[in-house]
Amino acid sequence: QVQLVESGGGLVQAGGSLRLSCAASGRTFSSRAMGWFRQAPGKEREFVAAICWRGRSTTYADSVKGRFTISRDNAKNTVYLQMNSLKPEDTAVYYCAADFALLREVPSKRVDLYDLWGQGTQVTVSS
């Protein structure tokens, strides 16, 4: 079983940067696609970015494309989300999640395909 712990959130001014990390435990981390999602107050959880198990394929929400970069280091059992040019509308709790399937080559944007979730880390962007 994979357990996930996010870190790196905080308060930043608009235009600033943050790097989120998600440390995973468990033997199957390196075989699973990983995703980042976020949830703002009063809104549904939404997809942000995802990366395939080998790290060769990534996909992003249109709202973050060109500003955010997802990456992973399977040797360290960690997935990252580099967030640049942050905007107030990026304010949310950010969650990392592990795909329920193994060896998925094309990472999915579907929240229902991710069955393991971290506790979340708050990102607040001030204007």
Side-chain angles (χ1 to χ4, degrees), residues 26-65:
R27 294 184 299 170
T28 63
F29 167 80
S30 61
S31 301
R32 294 174 179 253
M34 297 294 295
W36 285 97
F37 295 79
R38 66 187 182 187
Q39 188 166 18
K43 295 188 177 181
E44 292 189 353
R45 191 168 298 189
E46 65 173 2
F47 170 78
V48 175
I51 188 167
C52 75
W53 66 283
R54 284 193 279 193
R56 295 180 182 179
S57 179
T58 58
T59 187
Y60 297 91
D62 288 343
S63 59
V64 307
K65 202 171 295 182

Side-chain angles (χ1 to χ4, degrees), residues 20 35-50 59-65 67-68 81 83 87-97 108-112 114 117 123:
L20 304 184
W36 285 97
F37 295 79
R38 66 187 182 187
Q39 188 166 18
K43 295 188 177 181
E44 292 189 353
R45 191 168 298 189
E46 65 173 2
F47 170 78
V48 175
T59 187
Y60 297 91
D62 288 343
S63 59
V64 307
K65 202 171 295 182
R67 301 188 297 122
F68 291 9
L81 185 68
M83 305 186 295
K87 305 175 181 179
E89 51 263 43
D90 294 319
T91 295
V93 177
Y94 283 70
Y95 300 89
C96 70
S108 175
K109 298 181 179 182
R110 289 174 47 184
V111 65
D112 62 316
Y114 294 82
W117 295 81
V123 172

Side-chain angles (χ1 to χ4, degrees), residues 16-28:
S17 298
L18 283 174
R19 188 194 196 201
L20 304 184
S21 298
C22 175
S25 62
R27 294 184 299 170
T28 63

